[in-house]
Amino acid sequence: MYVCRTRGVAGGIAAASNYVISFVAAKTYLNIVHSLQLFGTFWFYGAVSVICFVYLYFELPETEGKTLEQIERLFAAKK
């Protein structure tokens, strides 16, 4: 029962974070285009994406082929 509540809360936090980040990106897009021109804006968003990819590549553990219990123990061990 505890696991279901935790996953539900985590899913809600992930969705809310996505909506907030998407809102900020949409609201600041025109200001960034005005400041950096169109090509600079795409380079900026590309650089942010590469930085996020590198961070997640090294920080996010591999969970393919593992059971839910194994994944829970993996994340519980990080506390």
Side-chain angles (χ1 to χ4, degrees):
M1 184 69 168
Y2 176 73
V3 174
C4 292
R5 285 186 298 170
T6 303
R7 280 191 282 161
V9 171
I13 291 171
S17 299
N18 181 36
Y19 291 136
V20 168
I21 291 169
S22 296
F23 175 78
V24 170
K27 287 305 242 182
T28 60
Y29 176 76
L30 291 177
N31 292 332
I32 294 173
V33 168
H34 182 70
S35 299
L36 301 177
Q37 303 296 324
L38 188 60
F39 66 90
T41 302
F42 282 103
W43 276 106
F44 172 73
Y45 283 133
V48 169
S49 296
V50 167
I51 290 168
C52 291
F53 173 79
V54 169
Y55 172 75
L56 286 175
Y57 182 80
F58 289 109
E59 285 297 315
L60 193 65
E62 180 60 52
T63 58
E64 184 177 354
K66 294 185 179 180
T67 65
L68 184 58
E69 289 80 19
Q70 290 172 328
I71 295 169
E72 289 170 357
R73 277 182 279 168
L74 178 67
F75 284 107
K78 292 200 174 216
K79 286 185 178 178

